[in-house]
């Protein structure tokens, strides 16, 4: 490998110099402005350089340094330094390309780069986009590749029916206003329909805000199911004891992603040492960074899965899908509207990906998903 730096008054002159010295196959490693001039760092294979290098140099363009070649022992130290620099640049480039392999990235630009653009437009991170592209077999047609990528994304969402997760106690966590109480009401409502109100009970840990419990209290009243408020281990155990034999839904207080009380509530419920389905509600309409920070409060296997809310309000869906995939959370349901029983939909990877694609293509309403149904 031979690496050179050239400075000239503009890019065109510097590039002309690169071509003249290193040939048309030279790889441009960096291009920056230094003191009003353009500095280009370029590299070429040594054998190739030997074959193509020409001594001619155009008038006002001068290389910043003499060349370093692998067969010049005196320059070995300098060569090492340049190799190190090249590795660093390669690292930056690979990071930019979403962790993709350097060689692959330079070889397969055509359809892969178009697919990458589509994935990024959906709101997926570069890392996930890179992983999805890397998992593709070699493709010739863009539409075939796009189909395979969407299937692979749908698979990675690990969509499951919530009843596949064992546990008669279900706790729901999440940020403020994401739809925790609505989710509790929706899941409890489904149980009331199939098992009867005598089999269902509610607990709320949400006693931080005035009026926070009113919504759940009126829901419990209307449907004739018990609701207990708990704020410590003792009151929580007592509530569970009083509702023994019922399927219990625990609503928690919404916290900012940085609030230690979010983890405190999880710890309180975990200490019960009972099988609990721990669900994280993530609003598709929130920023992906916010969802990521919320999920980061929980250790990898702490949560049983995620419920994605406010899909109807989202500008893009890729962000939240990226978060559940990278946090390893199966998607158990999603909600797409404010109606309490009707707007909770069955988690369906293909449907979520279809919606994400549609949002990236046109901003507009999506048809409703399939309502979440329970057996029996
Ligand atoms: N558009 C829309 N609104 C929702 C959805 N889920 C919940 N909401 C609304 O979001 C607001 C906050 O919901 P709530 O369940 O009280 O959130 P919590 O603070 O997390 O308990 C309420 O007005 C809900 O009706 C949804 O899927 N779509
Ligand atoms: Mg609430």
């Amino acid at each position: 490998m031979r690496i050179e730096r050239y400075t000239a008054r503009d890019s065109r002159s510097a590039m002309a110099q690169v071509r003249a010295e290193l040939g048309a196959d030279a790889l441009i490693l960096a291009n920056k402005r230094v003191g009003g001039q353009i500095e280009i760092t370029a590299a070429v294979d040594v054998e190739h350089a030997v074959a193509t290098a020409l001594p001619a140099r155009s008038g006002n363009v001068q290389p910043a340094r003499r060349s370093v070649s692998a067969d010049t022992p005196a320059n070995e130290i300098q060569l090492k330094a340049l190799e190190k620099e090249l590795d660093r640049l390669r690292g930056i480039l690979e990071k930019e390309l979403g962790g993709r392999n350097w060689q692959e990235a330079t070889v397969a630009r055509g359809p892969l780069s178009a697919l990458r653009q589509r994935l990024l437009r959906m709101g997926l991170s570069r890392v996930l986009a890179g992983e999805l592209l890397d998992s593709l077999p070699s493709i010739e047609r863009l539409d075939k590749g796009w189909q395979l990528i969407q299937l692979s994304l749908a698979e990675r969402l690990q969509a499951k029916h919530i009843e596949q997760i064992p546990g008669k106690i279900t706790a729901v966590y999440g940020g403020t206003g994401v739809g925790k109480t609505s989710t509790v009401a929706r899941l409890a409502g489904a149980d009331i329909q199939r098992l009867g109100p005598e089999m269902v009970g509610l607990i709320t840990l949400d006693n931080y805000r005035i009026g926070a419990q009113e919504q759940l209290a009126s829901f419990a009243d209307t449907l004739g199911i018990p609701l207990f408020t708990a704020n410590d281990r003792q009151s929580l155990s007592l509530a569970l004891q009083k509702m023994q034999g019922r399927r219990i839904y625990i609503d928690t207080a919404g916290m900012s992603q940085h609030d230690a009380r979010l983890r405190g509530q999880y710890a309180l419920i975990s200490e019960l040492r009972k099988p609990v389905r721990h669900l994280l509600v993530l609003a598709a309409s929130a920023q992906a960074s916010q969802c990521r920070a919320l999920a980061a409060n929980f250790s990898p296997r702490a949560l049983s899965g995620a419920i994605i809310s406010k899909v109807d309000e989202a500008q893009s869906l890729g962000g939240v899908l990226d978060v559940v995939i990278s946090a390893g959370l199966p998607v158990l349901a999603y909600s797409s509207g404010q109606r309490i029983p009707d707007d909770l939909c069955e988690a369906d990877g293909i449907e979520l990906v279809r919606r994400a694609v549609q949002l990236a293509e046109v901003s507009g309403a999506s048809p409703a998903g399939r309502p979440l149904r329970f057996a029996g």
Side-chain angles (χ1 to χ4, degrees):
M1 178 72 71
R2 175 184 164 195
I3 299 170
E4 293 274 15
R5 261 180 215 160
Y6 300 93
T7 48
R9 64 175 188 279
D10 56 32
S11 303
R12 217 166 138 189
S13 320
M15 281 304 293
Q17 181 65 14
V18 171
R19 268 196 300 278
E21 286 241 338
L22 301 181
D25 288 341
L27 182 65
I28 306 304
L29 301 176
N31 178 353
K32 60 181 177 185
R33 187 168 281 281
V34 180
Q37 288 211 301
I38 297 295
E39 181 188 281
I40 290 185
T41 310
V44 71
D45 276 347
V46 174
E47 299 81 43
H48 185 82
V50 168
T52 58
L54 296 169
R57 204 167 275 154
S58 62
N60 53 3
V61 182
Q62 292 296 322
R65 290 194 210 160
R66 286 307 308 147
S67 68
V68 178
S69 69
D71 51 7
T72 312
N75 284 329
E76 238 167 45
I77 295 171
Q78 206 180 357
L79 179 64
K80 284 249 152 53
L82 285 171
E83 274 175 354
K84 222 167 143 188
E85 170 81 351
L86 182 59
D87 271 345
R88 196 181 67 81
L89 290 167
R90 188 176 290 174
I92 293 171
L93 215 60
E94 281 185 4
K95 208 166 152 202
E96 275 300 302
L97 290 165
R100 298 196 58 229
N101 177 291
W102 164 270
Q103 258 184 339
E104 273 175 352
T106 49
V107 171
R109 283 224 169 88
L112 288 188
S113 129
L115 292 175
R116 179 188 308 282
Q117 284 313 314
R118 288 189 188 183
L119 292 171
L120 297 181
R121 230 182 2 250
M122 280 164 69
L124 297 185
S125 66
R126 286 178 181 278
V127 172
L128 181 57
E131 285 172 15
L132 289 167
L133 290 168
D134 281 346
S135 71
L136 263 189
S138 74
I139 50 145
E140 273 143 39
R141 286 192 19 226
L142 188 65
D143 55 348
K144 179 76 187 155
W146 185 226
Q147 254 177 11
L148 290 172
I149 282 249
Q150 289 181 71
L151 283 175
S152 157
L153 178 60
E155 233 168 70
R156 293 198 58 179
L157 285 171
Q158 301 181 62
K160 280 188 188 161
H161 194 287
I162 188 167
E163 287 302 302
Q164 286 177 258
I165 313 285
K168 286 176 78 175
I169 305 171
T170 305
V172 175
Y173 311 90
T176 316
V178 293
K180 297 178 300 299
T181 304
S182 308
T183 301
V184 161
R186 285 163 171 155
L187 293 175
D191 271 357
I192 291 169
Q193 265 184 5
R194 69 194 175 115
L195 304 170
E198 63 287 354
M199 293 304 291
V200 185
L202 304 176
I203 297 176
T204 177
L205 300 187
D206 192 355
N207 44 25
Y208 292 97
R209 286 175 300 128
I210 298 164
Q213 295 161 7
E214 277 168 17
Q215 190 191 356
L216 206 55
S218 86
F219 173 78
D221 259 3
T222 313
L223 295 170
I225 58 172
L227 166 67
F228 285 83
T229 301
N231 48 24
D232 55 20
R233 200 200 299 200
Q234 203 184 358
S235 50
L236 183 57
S237 298
L238 191 67
L240 287 173
Q241 217 177 323
K242 293 213 165 149
M243 295 193 286
Q244 215 166 18
R246 292 178 187 252
R247 287 170 63 98
I248 310 286
Y249 289 89
I250 306 177
D251 192 15
T252 63
M255 299 289 175
S256 103
Q257 59 272 29
H258 310 297
D259 196 324
R261 286 177 298 178
L262 186 66
R263 271 164 281 168
Q265 296 183 103
Y266 173 82
L268 183 65
I269 297 168
S270 305
E271 279 167 14
L272 294 169
R273 307 224 166 272
K274 290 184 192 292
V276 175
R277 306 190 291 196
H278 296 280
L279 311 184
L280 181 63
V281 180
L282 293 172
S285 55
Q287 286 175 339
S289 57
Q290 221 173 343
C291 296
R292 202 174 295 283
L294 265 167
N297 277 287
F298 300 88
S299 54
R301 270 178 290 281
L303 295 166
S304 320
I307 294 200
I308 300 177
S309 65
K310 307 200 178 184
V311 168
D312 56 312
E313 287 185 351
Q315 299 276 1
S316 87
L317 263 183
V320 75
L321 299 188
D322 196 294
V323 171
V324 292
I325 289 171
S326 57
L329 290 174
V331 181
L332 304 179
Y334 69 94
S335 70
S336 191
Q338 287 186 294
R339 293 172 305 171
I340 287 291
D342 304 336
D343 285 331
L344 194 62
C345 302
E346 208 170 277
D348 175 340
I350 301 270
E351 171 61 12
L352 282 168
V353 171
R354 191 190 64 74
R355 280 173 173 251
V357 170
Q358 197 182 35
L359 277 174
E361 282 166 359
V362 279
S363 51
S366 273
R370 195 140 42 102
L372 185 68
R373 299 207 189 290
F374 289 82

